[in-house]
Amino acid sequence: MPADRAHRDRRRRRLIKRLAWLVTAATFVFLAWGFVWEPGRLVERDYSIALKRWPAQCDGLRADVVADIHTGSPRNGVDKLDRVVRQLSASDSDVVIMAGDYVILKVLLGKYVPPEVVAAHLKPLLTHKRVYAVLGNHDWWKNGRRVRRALQSVGVTVLENQATEITLGQCRLWLVGVGDLWEGHPDIRHAFAGVDDDAPVIAITHNPDLFPRMPARASLVIAGHTHGGQVNLLPGQPSVRFGHYIAGPIFDQGRQLFVTPGIGTSILPFRFRVPPEISRLTLRSKGPPASAQ
């Protein structure tokens, strides 16, 4: 008996040791993935979104969406911004929409990059695309007027509680920018007051939690802010979590929202199974409500 007990004890110790090594290895992989590998990635993901009140002449309109650039967060310096600009410039999109947070207030191991530097690295994009933007909470925390001036100085059209009419090919539409929910003093009524005909409307704001207050006049609302949650431990990508809109196309109460997972990080420089993303939207006037490809 004592020999059998000693054998079982040895087997138990070996099992515990192996489990400890597995846990250690898994933890190392998880941390390396989240802190080193994934924040340095950049993916392009295609979405086909069918919209109500979307005219046939606008069917197939292509829009590239980025948000939360947060230049200066770890693995996300101006070299990464240059990659974003190159890929956006080479895209077949009709327009580029930026949904706020170009600078960072603070992030562990990060470095603040002034908005003038961010704008200078965005400037080459303006030779290829029309770019429309709103500001986010980090932009306002680091002087929103300064961020706006920097973006406008290189040709970005910044829409803060205002609308602009644009024509892309045969498609005439309105872009309506609404101020950030936390810091931008959103004024939805004032923003939509400039829309004076029945052309389709795309609304842009930073924080998607403003979506329920948007009028049905908007065929699509585009937002960022969430970073897609930054961490996703379960299969699939959640669109709504704890009552908040997280990522991707969301069809809610007959209206359409799209939340891009963004490029950078804030507070904690960690992404796990939520890679930095350029979201490539194709807007359709018919078909299923929304799908990611």
mmCIF file of all heavy atoms in Angstrom, residues 101-130:
data_model
loop_
_atom_site.group_PDB
_atom_site.id
_atom_site.type_symbol
_atom_site.label_atom_id
_atom_site.label_comp_id
_atom_site.label_asym_id
_atom_site.label_seq_id
_atom_site.Cartn_x
_atom_site.Cartn_y
_atom_site.Cartn_z
ATOM 1 N N ASP A 101 -11.092 60.728 -31.879
ATOM 2 C CA ASP A 101 -9.966 60.295 -31.039
ATOM 3 C C ASP A 101 -8.697 60.043 -31.861
ATOM 4 O O ASP A 101 -8.291 58.904 -32.105
ATOM 5 C CB ASP A 101 -10.326 59.064 -30.209
ATOM 6 C CG ASP A 101 -11.026 59.428 -28.906
ATOM 7 O OD1 ASP A 101 -11.307 60.623 -28.697
ATOM 8 O OD2 ASP A 101 -11.280 58.521 -28.093
ATOM 9 N N TYR A 102 -8.067 61.133 -32.254
ATOM 10 C CA TYR A 102 -6.833 61.075 -33.038
ATOM 11 C C TYR A 102 -5.607 61.152 -32.142
ATOM 12 O O TYR A 102 -4.533 60.680 -32.511
ATOM 13 C CB TYR A 102 -6.834 62.216 -34.071
ATOM 14 C CG TYR A 102 -8.167 62.261 -34.782
ATOM 15 C CD1 TYR A 102 -9.122 63.215 -34.445
ATOM 16 C CD2 TYR A 102 -8.494 61.287 -35.714
ATOM 17 C CE1 TYR A 102 -10.373 63.204 -35.044
ATOM 18 C CE2 TYR A 102 -9.744 61.268 -36.316
ATOM 19 C CZ TYR A 102 -10.679 62.227 -35.963
ATOM 20 O OH TYR A 102 -11.920 62.195 -36.541
ATOM 21 N N VAL A 103 -5.771 61.726 -30.940
ATOM 22 C CA VAL A 103 -4.684 61.813 -29.963
ATOM 23 C C VAL A 103 -5.076 60.984 -28.745
ATOM 24 O O VAL A 103 -6.168 60.422 -28.683
ATOM 25 C CB VAL A 103 -4.419 63.280 -29.556
ATOM 26 C CG1 VAL A 103 -3.968 64.093 -30.766
ATOM 27 C CG2 VAL A 103 -5.664 63.915 -28.935
ATOM 28 N N ILE A 104 -4.164 60.887 -27.776
ATOM 29 C CA ILE A 104 -4.472 60.157 -26.548
ATOM 30 C C ILE A 104 -4.253 61.059 -25.345
ATOM 31 O O ILE A 104 -3.322 61.860 -25.304
ATOM 32 C CB ILE A 104 -3.605 58.882 -26.378
ATOM 33 C CG1 ILE A 104 -2.109 59.195 -26.553
ATOM 34 C CG2 ILE A 104 -4.058 57.786 -27.315
ATOM 35 C CD1 ILE A 104 -1.204 58.042 -26.203
ATOM 36 N N LEU A 105 -5.142 60.918 -24.358
ATOM 37 C CA LEU A 105 -4.936 61.605 -23.089
ATOM 38 C C LEU A 105 -3.817 60.924 -22.326
ATOM 39 O O LEU A 105 -2.846 61.540 -21.915
ATOM 40 C CB LEU A 105 -6.219 61.608 -22.263
ATOM 41 C CG LEU A 105 -6.101 62.206 -20.863
ATOM 42 C CD1 LEU A 105 -5.818 63.700 -20.947
ATOM 43 C CD2 LEU A 105 -7.383 61.958 -20.064
ATOM 44 N N LYS A 106 -3.952 59.605 -22.152
ATOM 45 C CA LYS A 106 -2.904 58.828 -21.504
ATOM 46 C C LYS A 106 -3.120 57.350 -21.802
ATOM 47 O O LYS A 106 -4.245 56.894 -22.003
ATOM 48 C CB LYS A 106 -2.891 59.051 -19.993
ATOM 49 C CG LYS A 106 -4.178 58.656 -19.282
ATOM 50 C CD LYS A 106 -4.077 58.923 -17.791
ATOM 51 C CE LYS A 106 -5.388 58.568 -17.086
ATOM 52 N NZ LYS A 106 -5.301 58.806 -15.629
ATOM 53 N N VAL A 107 -2.018 56.637 -21.856
ATOM 54 C CA VAL A 107 -2.053 55.192 -22.024
ATOM 55 C C VAL A 107 -0.741 54.656 -21.473
ATOM 56 O O VAL A 107 0.326 55.274 -21.637
ATOM 57 C CB VAL A 107 -2.260 54.789 -23.503
ATOM 58 C CG1 VAL A 107 -1.127 55.285 -24.375
ATOM 59 C CG2 VAL A 107 -2.412 53.281 -23.656
ATOM 60 N N LEU A 108 -0.801 53.528 -20.792
ATOM 61 C CA LEU A 108 0.394 52.932 -20.193
ATOM 62 C C LEU A 108 1.468 52.721 -21.259
ATOM 63 O O LEU A 108 1.209 52.141 -22.315
ATOM 64 C CB LEU A 108 0.013 51.593 -19.551
ATOM 65 C CG LEU A 108 1.134 50.848 -18.829
ATOM 66 C CD1 LEU A 108 1.591 51.617 -17.601
ATOM 67 C CD2 LEU A 108 0.655 49.439 -18.434
ATOM 68 N N LEU A 109 2.663 53.236 -21.009
ATOM 69 C CA LEU A 109 3.831 53.120 -21.887
ATOM 70 C C LEU A 109 3.667 53.885 -23.199
ATOM 71 O O LEU A 109 4.466 53.720 -24.112
ATOM 72 C CB LEU A 109 4.151 51.644 -22.188
ATOM 73 C CG LEU A 109 4.410 50.752 -20.963
ATOM 74 C CD1 LEU A 109 4.648 49.321 -21.405
ATOM 75 C CD2 LEU A 109 5.588 51.258 -20.147
ATOM 76 N N GLY A 110 2.642 54.727 -23.282
ATOM 77 C CA GLY A 110 2.431 55.505 -24.486
ATOM 78 C C GLY A 110 3.100 56.860 -24.429
ATOM 79 O O GLY A 110 3.670 57.266 -23.407
ATOM 80 N N LYS A 111 3.038 57.579 -25.536
ATOM 81 C CA LYS A 111 3.651 58.900 -25.647
ATOM 82 C C LYS A 111 2.710 59.809 -26.417
ATOM 83 O O LYS A 111 2.268 59.467 -27.513
ATOM 84 C CB LYS A 111 4.996 58.803 -26.377
ATOM 85 C CG LYS A 111 5.695 60.143 -26.563
ATOM 86 C CD LYS A 111 6.996 59.968 -27.331
ATOM 87 C CE LYS A 111 7.687 61.321 -27.538
ATOM 88 N NZ LYS A 111 8.945 61.169 -28.326
ATOM 89 N N TYR A 112 2.404 60.961 -25.849
ATOM 90 C CA TYR A 112 1.504 61.910 -26.503
ATOM 91 C C TYR A 112 2.130 62.436 -27.788
ATOM 92 O O TYR A 112 3.293 62.855 -27.803
ATOM 93 C CB TYR A 112 1.202 63.071 -25.562
ATOM 94 C CG TYR A 112 0.411 64.188 -26.204
ATOM 95 C CD1 TYR A 112 -0.921 63.996 -26.564
ATOM 96 C CD2 TYR A 112 1.004 65.423 -26.465
ATOM 97 C CE1 TYR A 112 -1.641 65.010 -27.166
ATOM 98 C CE2 TYR A 112 0.284 66.452 -27.058
ATOM 99 C CZ TYR A 112 -1.043 66.239 -27.401
ATOM 100 O OH TYR A 112 -1.759 67.246 -27.992
ATOM 101 N N VAL A 113 1.357 62.392 -28.860
ATOM 102 C CA VAL A 113 1.777 62.928 -30.158
ATOM 103 C C VAL A 113 0.863 64.111 -30.476
ATOM 104 O O VAL A 113 -0.357 63.952 -30.529
ATOM 105 C CB VAL A 113 1.689 61.864 -31.262
ATOM 106 C CG1 VAL A 113 2.024 62.462 -32.623
ATOM 107 C CG2 VAL A 113 2.618 60.693 -30.942
ATOM 108 N N PRO A 114 1.412 65.308 -30.691
ATOM 109 C CA PRO A 114 0.580 66.492 -30.930
ATOM 110 C C PRO A 114 -0.300 66.334 -32.168
ATOM 111 O O PRO A 114 0.065 65.633 -33.126
ATOM 112 C CB PRO A 114 1.613 67.611 -31.122
ATOM 113 C CG PRO A 114 2.855 67.118 -30.477
ATOM 114 C CD PRO A 114 2.843 65.629 -30.672
ATOM 115 N N PRO A 115 -1.449 67.001 -32.179
ATOM 116 C CA PRO A 115 -2.359 66.864 -33.327
ATOM 117 C C PRO A 115 -1.758 67.373 -34.624
ATOM 118 O O PRO A 115 -2.112 66.887 -35.705
ATOM 119 C CB PRO A 115 -3.580 67.694 -32.918
ATOM 120 C CG PRO A 115 -3.086 68.624 -31.856
ATOM 121 C CD PRO A 115 -2.015 67.867 -31.136
ATOM 122 N N GLU A 116 -0.847 68.346 -34.553
ATOM 123 C CA GLU A 116 -0.204 68.836 -35.769
ATOM 124 C C GLU A 116 0.627 67.750 -36.443
ATOM 125 O O GLU A 116 0.694 67.680 -37.670
ATOM 126 C CB GLU A 116 0.672 70.050 -35.452
ATOM 127 C CG GLU A 116 -0.088 71.289 -35.011
ATOM 128 C CD GLU A 116 -0.510 71.248 -33.541
ATOM 129 O OE1 GLU A 116 -0.062 70.332 -32.807
ATOM 130 O OE2 GLU A 116 -1.285 72.126 -33.133
ATOM 131 N N VAL A 117 1.258 66.899 -35.633
ATOM 132 C CA VAL A 117 2.035 65.788 -36.182
ATOM 133 C C VAL A 117 1.093 64.748 -36.792
ATOM 134 O O VAL A 117 1.338 64.230 -37.897
ATOM 135 C CB VAL A 117 2.926 65.157 -35.092
ATOM 136 C CG1 VAL A 117 3.631 63.913 -35.623
ATOM 137 C CG2 VAL A 117 3.944 66.171 -34.572
ATOM 138 N N VAL A 118 0.013 64.432 -36.085
ATOM 139 C CA VAL A 118 -0.971 63.492 -36.623
ATOM 140 C C VAL A 118 -1.506 64.005 -37.958
ATOM 141 O O VAL A 118 -1.584 63.256 -38.949
ATOM 142 C CB VAL A 118 -2.126 63.292 -35.618
ATOM 143 C CG1 VAL A 118 -3.228 62.429 -36.228
ATOM 144 C CG2 VAL A 118 -1.608 62.649 -34.325
ATOM 145 N N ALA A 119 -1.864 65.285 -38.011
ATOM 146 C CA ALA A 119 -2.413 65.856 -39.232
ATOM 147 C C ALA A 119 -1.399 65.814 -40.380
ATOM 148 O O ALA A 119 -1.765 65.519 -41.524
ATOM 149 C CB ALA A 119 -2.858 67.294 -38.970
ATOM 150 N N ALA A 120 -0.138 66.085 -40.080
ATOM 151 C CA ALA A 120 0.891 66.061 -41.124
ATOM 152 C C ALA A 120 1.011 64.676 -41.747
ATOM 153 O O ALA A 120 1.233 64.543 -42.962
ATOM 154 C CB ALA A 120 2.234 66.508 -40.545
ATOM 155 N N HIS A 121 0.858 63.636 -40.931
ATOM 156 C CA HIS A 121 0.943 62.277 -41.466
ATOM 157 C C HIS A 121 -0.347 61.854 -42.171
ATOM 158 O O HIS A 121 -0.317 60.912 -42.981
ATOM 159 C CB HIS A 121 1.303 61.299 -40.343
ATOM 160 C CG HIS A 121 2.740 61.363 -39.943
ATOM 161 N ND1 HIS A 121 3.693 60.498 -40.430
ATOM 162 C CD2 HIS A 121 3.399 62.224 -39.130
ATOM 163 C CE1 HIS A 121 4.879 60.809 -39.921
ATOM 164 N NE2 HIS A 121 4.725 61.847 -39.128
ATOM 165 N N LEU A 122 -1.458 62.530 -41.878
ATOM 166 C CA LEU A 122 -2.704 62.274 -42.602
ATOM 167 C C LEU A 122 -2.741 62.996 -43.946
ATOM 168 O O LEU A 122 -3.488 62.600 -44.847
ATOM 169 C CB LEU A 122 -3.907 62.731 -41.764
ATOM 170 C CG LEU A 122 -4.318 61.857 -40.580
ATOM 171 C CD1 LEU A 122 -5.368 62.576 -39.741
ATOM 172 C CD2 LEU A 122 -4.857 60.506 -41.043
ATOM 173 N N LYS A 123 -1.958 64.040 -44.079
ATOM 174 C CA LYS A 123 -2.041 64.911 -45.251
ATOM 175 C C LYS A 123 -1.941 64.166 -46.579
ATOM 176 O O LYS A 123 -2.701 64.476 -47.517
ATOM 177 C CB LYS A 123 -0.975 66.003 -45.162
ATOM 178 C CG LYS A 123 -1.087 67.049 -46.259
ATOM 179 C CD LYS A 123 -0.080 68.169 -46.070
ATOM 180 C CE LYS A 123 -0.219 69.218 -47.154
ATOM 181 N NZ LYS A 123 0.726 70.349 -46.941
ATOM 182 N N PRO A 124 -1.036 63.174 -46.752
ATOM 183 C CA PRO A 124 -0.974 62.478 -48.048
ATOM 184 C C PRO A 124 -2.283 61.824 -48.452
ATOM 185 O O PRO A 124 -2.559 61.667 -49.652
ATOM 186 C CB PRO A 124 0.136 61.438 -47.838
ATOM 187 C CG PRO A 124 0.991 62.012 -46.759
ATOM 188 C CD PRO A 124 0.042 62.724 -45.845
ATOM 189 N N LEU A 125 -3.099 61.445 -47.475
ATOM 190 C CA LEU A 125 -4.382 60.817 -47.782
ATOM 191 C C LEU A 125 -5.291 61.779 -48.535
ATOM 192 O O LEU A 125 -6.081 61.366 -49.402
ATOM 193 C CB LEU A 125 -5.060 60.357 -46.486
ATOM 194 C CG LEU A 125 -6.463 59.779 -46.589
ATOM 195 C CD1 LEU A 125 -6.478 58.538 -47.476
ATOM 196 C CD2 LEU A 125 -6.996 59.441 -45.195
ATOM 197 N N LEU A 126 -5.174 63.066 -48.236
ATOM 198 C CA LEU A 126 -6.079 64.056 -48.827
ATOM 199 C C LEU A 126 -5.827 64.266 -50.312
ATOM 200 O O LEU A 126 -6.663 64.857 -51.008
ATOM 201 C CB LEU A 126 -5.957 65.374 -48.075
ATOM 202 C CG LEU A 126 -6.797 65.543 -46.796
ATOM 203 C CD1 LEU A 126 -8.289 65.500 -47.112
ATOM 204 C CD2 LEU A 126 -6.446 64.527 -45.726
ATOM 205 N N THR A 127 -4.703 63.794 -50.825
ATOM 206 C CA THR A 127 -4.463 63.872 -52.271
ATOM 207 C C THR A 127 -5.204 62.769 -53.017
ATOM 208 O O THR A 127 -5.315 62.821 -54.246
ATOM 209 C CB THR A 127 -2.953 63.786 -52.586
ATOM 210 O OG1 THR A 127 -2.475 62.491 -52.199
ATOM 211 C CG2 THR A 127 -2.185 64.859 -51.830
ATOM 212 N N HIS A 128 -5.713 61.768 -52.279
ATOM 213 C CA HIS A 128 -6.403 60.632 -52.908
ATOM 214 C C HIS A 128 -7.893 60.587 -52.569
ATOM 215 O O HIS A 128 -8.689 60.094 -53.373
ATOM 216 C CB HIS A 128 -5.768 59.312 -52.456
ATOM 217 C CG HIS A 128 -4.320 59.190 -52.768
ATOM 218 N ND1 HIS A 128 -3.852 58.774 -53.988
ATOM 219 C CD2 HIS A 128 -3.217 59.442 -52.005
ATOM 220 C CE1 HIS A 128 -2.528 58.757 -53.974
ATOM 221 N NE2 HIS A 128 -2.118 59.162 -52.789
ATOM 222 N N LYS A 129 -8.259 61.068 -51.387
ATOM 223 C CA LYS A 129 -9.624 60.880 -50.901
ATOM 224 C C LYS A 129 -10.169 62.155 -50.277
ATOM 225 O O LYS A 129 -9.420 62.986 -49.749
ATOM 226 C CB LYS A 129 -9.660 59.782 -49.803
ATOM 227 C CG LYS A 129 -9.062 58.455 -50.190
ATOM 228 C CD LYS A 129 -9.964 57.673 -51.125
ATOM 229 C CE LYS A 129 -9.342 56.312 -51.460
ATOM 230 N NZ LYS A 129 -10.204 55.512 -52.332
ATOM 231 N N ARG A 130 -11.492 62.256 -50.291
ATOM 232 C CA ARG A 130 -12.159 63.237 -49.447
ATOM 233 C C ARG A 130 -12.326 62.621 -48.067
ATOM 234 O O ARG A 130 -12.754 61.461 -47.948
ATOM 235 C CB ARG A 130 -13.518 63.622 -50.038
ATOM 236 C CG ARG A 130 -13.405 64.637 -51.160
ATOM 237 C CD ARG A 130 -14.766 65.162 -51.555
ATOM 238 N NE ARG A 130 -15.411 64.307 -52.531
ATOM 239 C CZ ARG A 130 -16.652 64.499 -52.980
ATOM 240 N NH1 ARG A 130 -17.372 65.508 -52.518
ATOM 241 N NH2 ARG A 130 -17.163 63.692 -53.891
#
